[in-house]
Amino acid sequence: MTLDASALDALFRDARTHNVWTDRPVEDDDLRGIFDLMKWGPTSANCSPARFVFVRTADAKQRLKPALSAGNRDKTMAAPVTAIVAYDPRFYDKLPHLFPQADARAWFAGNEAFRNSSIQGGYFILAARALGFDCGPMSGFDRDKVDGEFLGGYGWKSNFLVNLGHGDPDKLFPRNPRLDFDEACLLV
Amino acid sequence: MTLDASALDALFRDARTHNVWTDRPVEDDDLRGIFDLMKWGPTSANCSPARFVFVRTADAKQRLKPALSAGNRDKTMAAPVTAIVAYDPRFYDKLPHLFPQADARAWFAGNEAFRNSSIQGGYFILAARALGFDCGPMSGFDRDKVDGEFLGGYGWKSNFLVNLGHGDPDKLFPRNPRLDFDEACLLV
């Protein structure tokens, strides 16, 4: 099936990165709903290395604050939830469960967790939009501080951050252009 | 808006990685349509490093063949189109056009092209599904061979491959499990 125009608009054509958030909350069940879509997206041998820390209490936001770059601080503190998109460098320990057909550990070079967790981060953003939430993805933060504060006990590593909520469309910047097909693509 | 259940199924819940393809073609206009959705997905400062080579002629498929791992060879040769998801390591040369608000070049460390092109690869897969196509993403191939054969003149580097077409649902493997929310997520 082809999605209808309004769905394509909501996912891609009209969706924007938001910086100013309304008071409308994001509930824990919403986060479960986003994850339960995102998880179905394909990864190399189903390795599924992405991990998520949902920072949604005032206390946890304060722990995140010192790690944020200046330009990302206020909007992140105001967002209902900030997701730390992370990955488990030992993702391959789950492969006997996730890919029981073969001993898939040997297939994985070191970059697979970063690559596949980034791809899953793309799925995450679109899954959130598919459920009606706006996103504000960011890479401007101190990775070591975030890892030490939130991930150390798990051995996970941060990839990027995504503010989640309902953005205020009146506070959007004008949209920047994209590359044309002929600048970015070859047909051979 | 929240997408309806059939759209969520088509994007995530029922969509599968395909290995066997029907004869139904993928036209160049379809590839333009996928790109014209994918391109709107967010990247760091709109840097948009992903590049795509659409391998769709018999001659180009033959050039791709020696680079494919044994398990990916037959299904790729049979797919209507194989997309090389690549990135331009000199993506920052486009920033004056893509992000005119600031001199954004200085913000970018070496890994941004790989990270953001991977995220865009996730958008690409979901954009293709949104337009009714099936995907078969793969990382089992000889990167140097693909780069030398298809990308060298452009300075681009390959990230992963995606077979595109209409899959035969009768030839799917049983679906593998995914991690549960509580295995992959923390609420703080």
Side-chain angles (χ1 to χ4, degrees):
Chain A
M1 69 171 272
T2 302
L3 272 59
D4 65 27
S6 65
L8 301 178
D9 289 343
L11 289 171
F12 293 106
R13 294 188 299 221
D14 289 348
R16 297 292 309 279
T17 288
H18 280 265
N19 297 297
V20 179
W21 305 97
T22 72
D23 291 339
R24 221 173 126 189
V26 179
E27 309 289 355
D28 290 353
D29 278 351
D30 298 325
L31 303 174
R32 291 176 184 274
I34 295 168
F35 177 83
D36 280 337
L37 287 178
M38 183 284 310
K39 70 181 181 184
W40 293 116
T43 54
S44 303
N46 196 35
C47 66
S48 308
R51 304 291 183 265
F52 299 87
V53 179
F54 295 108
V55 180
R56 79 255 199 274
T57 64
D59 171 65
K61 280 288 191 75
Q62 286 299 324
R63 290 163 54 206
L64 181 60
K65 192 174 180 179
L68 299 168
S69 66
N72 288 333
R73 200 165 293 145
D74 290 348
K75 62 186 179 187
T76 302
M77 298 309 287
V81 173
T82 304
I84 303 170
V85 180
Y87 57 93
D88 185 350
R90 291 179 58 93
F91 67 94
Y92 42 78
D93 287 342
K94 305 276 190 192
L95 280 173
H97 169 59
L98 293 172
F99 196 82
Q101 291 84 348
D103 181 2
R105 282 185 188 223
W107 304 347
F108 286 100
N111 76 1
E112 291 303 332
F114 186 69
R115 183 223 308 264
N116 280 279
S117 73
S118 299
I119 296 172
Q120 289 185 284
Y123 302 150
F124 178 84
I125 290 168
L126 294 182
R129 289 176 171 178
L131 293 179
F133 300 97
D134 293 309
C135 295
M138 302 170 286
S139 55
F141 66 98
D142 184 318
R143 203 149 273 107
D144 290 339
K145 279 188 187 167
V146 166
D147 293 3
E149 187 67 35
F150 292 99
L151 309 178
Y154 299 87
W156 303 351
K157 291 184 177 297
S158 54
N159 188 338
F160 62 100
L161 307 179
V162 183
N163 286 332
L164 288 170
H166 295 88
D168 181 346
D170 294 334
K171 303 285 171 52
L172 286 168
F173 299 120
R175 196 173 208 181
N176 278 331
R178 297 298 194 271
L179 298 178
D180 295 328
F181 182 89
D182 295 328
E183 292 177 285
C185 301
L186 302 172
L187 293 164
V188 298
Chain B
M1 68 170 273
T2 302
L3 272 58
D4 64 29
S6 65
L8 300 178
D9 289 342
L11 289 170
F12 293 106
R13 293 187 299 220
D14 288 348
R16 298 290 309 279
T17 289
H18 281 265
N19 297 298
V20 179
W21 306 96
T22 73
D23 290 338
R24 221 172 127 190
V26 179
E27 308 289 354
D28 290 353
D29 278 352
D30 298 326
L31 303 173
R32 292 177 183 274
I34 295 168
F35 177 83
D36 281 336
L37 287 178
M38 181 283 311
K39 69 181 182 184
W40 294 118
T43 54
S44 303
N46 197 34
C47 65
S48 308
R51 303 291 183 268
F52 299 87
V53 179
F54 296 108
V55 180
R56 80 253 199 275
T57 63
D59 172 65
K61 280 289 191 71
Q62 285 300 325
R63 291 163 55 206
L64 181 61
K65 191 173 180 179
L68 300 168
S69 67
N72 289 332
R73 199 164 293 147
D74 291 347
K75 62 186 177 186
T76 301
M77 298 308 288
V81 174
T82 304
I84 303 169
V85 179
Y87 59 93
D88 186 351
R90 291 178 58 93
F91 68 94
Y92 43 78
D93 287 342
K94 304 276 191 192
L95 281 173
H97 169 60
L98 293 172
F99 196 81
Q101 291 85 348
D103 181 2
R105 281 185 189 225
W107 304 347
F108 286 99
N111 76 2
E112 290 303 332
F114 186 69
R115 184 222 308 263
N116 280 278
S117 73
S118 299
I119 296 172
Q120 288 185 284
Y123 302 151
F124 178 85
I125 290 167
L126 294 183
R129 289 177 171 179
L131 294 179
F133 300 97
D134 293 309
C135 294
M138 301 170 286
S139 55
F141 65 99
D142 185 318
R143 203 149 272 107
D144 290 340
K145 280 188 186 167
V146 166
D147 294 4
E149 187 66 36
F150 292 99
L151 309 178
Y154 299 87
W156 302 350
K157 290 183 178 296
S158 55
N159 188 337
F160 63 99
L161 307 179
V162 183
N163 286 332
L164 288 170
H166 295 88
D168 181 346
D170 294 335
K171 303 285 172 49
L172 287 167
F173 299 118
R175 197 172 208 181
N176 277 331
R178 298 299 193 268
L179 299 177
D180 294 329
F181 183 89
D182 295 328
E183 292 176 285
C185 301
L186 302 171
L187 293 162
V188 298

